[in-house]
Amino acid sequence: MKIIKSFCVIATIGLISSCSKSTASDQLSKAEGTNARNAAQASGKVVFGYVPSWGNVQQIMDNTDLNILTHINIAFFSPNNSGQMMANGQPVCSDANSTEINYIVTKAHQNGLKVLASLAGGKVPNCSGNMVTLLQPGNRANLIAKIVAFANHYNLDGIDVDIEGANLTAIKNAGNYVPFIQELRAALNPLGKLVTAASAPYTSGMIPPAAFAHLDFVHIMSYDNNWEGSGNHSTYADALVHIKRFLDNGCPASKLTLGLPFYGYQGNVGTGTYTAFKDIVAAHPAASHVDTYAGYKYNGVTAIEAKTRYAKQHIAGVMIWEISQDATGQASLLQAIGREID
């Protein structure tokens, strides 16, 4: 998943409270969103959206059309070196505080969504303990107990494991990733809670296939591809290759979600300027339905519709990184997902 950003990420999607009356288009958008989620739930399709804890989470939640989502993943949380997830009533390593977590959970549950806490992330923060050490056999039971207590404390519906990069490689090589997932699920499943994981789509960065059996969903991070290259970082062709790779490695289609980026790059992938979709469209309104504009390369409305359509037909659904980066109105990528997932 993406590293923690310091820029403000406030989406303005769907119905926003104001002193003026709701417009007809606002009401229609909300109705369409409700219909989309009802249809998605009836068909068993899912729409996971990551909420960045370093943003204004209350505004993000208030300004997002929650009717289209089925799950929210709060990014990110890490244990400390002792495996603790909380201290003095607060997370030990997260940009989110207890008030913000409770706000997300309460609002999501009121709207029929499930909420998961996403563990780790693409960049290890300084406050994090060493996950390679914490997942060793002698430490793993303690960490899992602390994660379960954390999930219960905040009335979460599950845990999303987002261990990546060098940590993932070391944990896999030590043979500790699959036992961790298996034991975490054994602890959370009887409580009615989910265990999901995000995975890079390239072979060396994938989670071990043996973990698939112990996960409820596997999120394919089909973005940031062609690192340092000049092309688009998340093409439709990439998505098809990545989905097939997971299927070929034994992941059931019913567990797979396709990750959709709500951002792009101006310049090369990773080393260029990372830009939220909403900011691209705000500067260039004509950019909303194409994938390349003014040097930016991203996924516009048409690409998101096509990917969602394919995901609906062939796998469990889609995942969004991340919802605060969406545009509004006809340029909204979330609304594009809603139109196709029903």
Side-chain angles (χ1 to χ4, degrees):
M1 210 58 61
K2 302 303 297 175
I3 64 174
I4 294 180
K5 301 289 180 179
S6 60
F7 53 79
C8 182
V9 281
I10 303 172
T12 312
I13 309 169
L15 197 63
I16 302 174
S17 297
S18 68
C19 295
S20 61
K21 294 182 179 179
S22 299
T23 64
S25 61
D26 287 336
Q27 294 170 348
L28 178 60
S29 175
K30 184 175 181 180
E32 288 174 343
T34 302
N35 292 338
R37 191 176 71 206
N38 289 343
Q41 291 175 335
S43 66
K45 300 304 175 183
V46 296
V47 180
F48 280 78
Y50 280 86
V51 171
S53 61
W54 52 93
N56 186 324
V57 298
Q58 180 171 338
Q59 286 187 314
I60 294 169
M61 292 294 292
D62 290 349
N63 295 344
T64 296
D65 186 350
L66 300 177
N67 293 299
I68 296 172
L69 300 169
T70 60
H71 299 73
I72 283 175
N73 289 347
I74 310 173
F76 292 105
F77 300 88
S78 293
N80 63 17
N81 279 319
S82 300
Q84 298 286 342
M85 294 291 294
M86 295 185 296
N88 301 316
Q90 297 292 338
V92 297
C93 187
S94 178
D95 286 314
N97 60 41
S98 286
T99 300
E100 292 168 328
I101 298 167
N102 290 331
Y103 188 87
I104 294 171
V105 172
T106 299
K107 181 138 191 169
H109 285 172
Q110 288 172 346
N111 285 271
L113 283 71
K114 295 183 181 298
V115 183
L116 296 83
S118 190
L119 188 69
K123 182 179 180 181
V124 180
N126 293 332
C127 55
S128 175
N130 187 327
M131 292 299 293
V132 178
T133 301
L134 290 170
L135 294 190
Q136 290 174 352
N139 300 323
R140 196 159 58 231
N142 174 64
L143 175 60
I144 289 172
K146 298 299 190 293
I147 292 173
V148 172
F150 180 85
N152 285 332
H153 179 80
Y154 288 111
N155 195 25
L156 297 168
D157 301 291
I159 297 294
D160 174 59
V161 179
D162 188 19
I163 299 172
E164 302 180 35
N167 273 350
L168 176 60
T169 299
I171 293 165
K172 286 197 301 182
N173 289 346
N176 291 329
Y177 186 92
V178 176
F180 169 60
I181 297 296
Q182 184 175 9
E183 294 165 23
L184 182 63
R185 181 178 174 83
L188 288 174
N189 188 250
L191 304 176
K193 298 184 188 298
L194 303 172
V195 179
T196 69
S199 176
Y202 48 89
T203 303
S204 63
M206 283 180 62
I207 63 175
F212 297 156
H214 310 294
L215 291 164
D216 293 288
F217 293 100
V218 177
H219 307 307
I220 307 174
M221 296 186 288
S222 187
Y223 37 70
D224 283 358
N225 306 306
N226 313 307
W227 193 257
E228 297 186 351
S230 59
N232 197 307
H233 75 109
S234 184
T235 68
Y236 184 84
D238 287 334
L240 301 189
V241 169
H242 297 155
I243 290 170
K244 184 176 186 301
R245 184 170 295 150
F246 279 81
L247 294 173
D248 289 348
N249 275 278
C251 188
S254 60
K255 293 187 176 186
L256 278 178
T257 73
L258 176 64
L260 305 176
F262 279 22
Y263 68 95
Y265 291 97
Q266 188 177 52
N268 290 349
V269 177
T271 59
T273 304
Y274 178 104
T275 308
F277 178 72
K278 65 179 181 182
D279 293 332
I280 297 172
V281 172
H284 308 283
S288 63
H289 284 64
V290 295
D291 299 334
T292 302
Y293 201 94
Y296 291 102
K297 301 177 183 71
Y298 53 94
N299 279 190
V301 169
T302 302
I304 293 296
E305 287 176 337
K307 287 183 177 182
T308 304
R309 197 157 49 240
Y310 186 90
K312 178 189 174 184
Q313 294 169 354
H314 298 282
I315 57 175
V318 299
M319 171 271 284
I320 300 161
W321 183 263
E322 40 85 356
I323 62 175
S324 78
Q325 301 173 115
D326 196 16
T328 59
Q330 294 301 310
S332 169
L333 301 180
L334 183 59
Q335 294 299 327
I337 292 169
R339 289 191 294 272
E340 295 296 335
I341 205 71
D342 62 7

